[in-house]
Amino acid sequence: MINELLDAFEMEHKFAPQTIDNLLDYCQKKYIHGEIDLKTYRKFYNCLHEKGAVSAHELSIESKI
């Protein structure tokens, strides 16, 4: 499943994501723009989170606390 997201990232950006966090941010962007549905987003999110990914959004919230 993650390979699909990775392929889409590489096709759009013409390079591989530098970190798994970049892939999670890309997934979130696709969801916000309506390019993937909630069910798909949650599958990607959970899988990436299990692998240790942290979104830029989560980091910005933690820095404000």
Side-chain angles (χ1 to χ4, degrees):
M1 172 165 233
I2 296 302
N3 288 335
E4 296 171 31
L5 188 62
L6 183 58
D7 290 344
F9 182 100
E10 290 176 354
M11 286 186 70
E12 185 173 322
H13 295 286
K14 308 294 187 235
F15 59 87
Q18 293 180 358
T19 67
I20 196 164
D21 298 342
N22 296 138
L23 200 53
L24 179 56
D25 293 338
Y26 176 71
C27 177
Q28 290 173 332
K29 181 192 95 163
K30 297 207 51 89
Y31 173 67
I32 290 167
H33 289 221
E35 297 172 30
I36 59 174
D37 62 20
L38 179 59
K39 185 177 179 180
T40 302
Y41 168 74
R42 293 187 86 170
K43 285 181 183 178
F44 283 136
Y45 180 87
N46 289 333
C47 186
L48 291 166
H49 224 242
E50 287 174 6
K51 295 180 183 301
V54 179
S55 76
H57 177 73
E58 290 176 83
L59 292 175
S60 68
I61 290 173
E62 288 176 9
S63 68
K64 292 178 183 178
I65 296 176

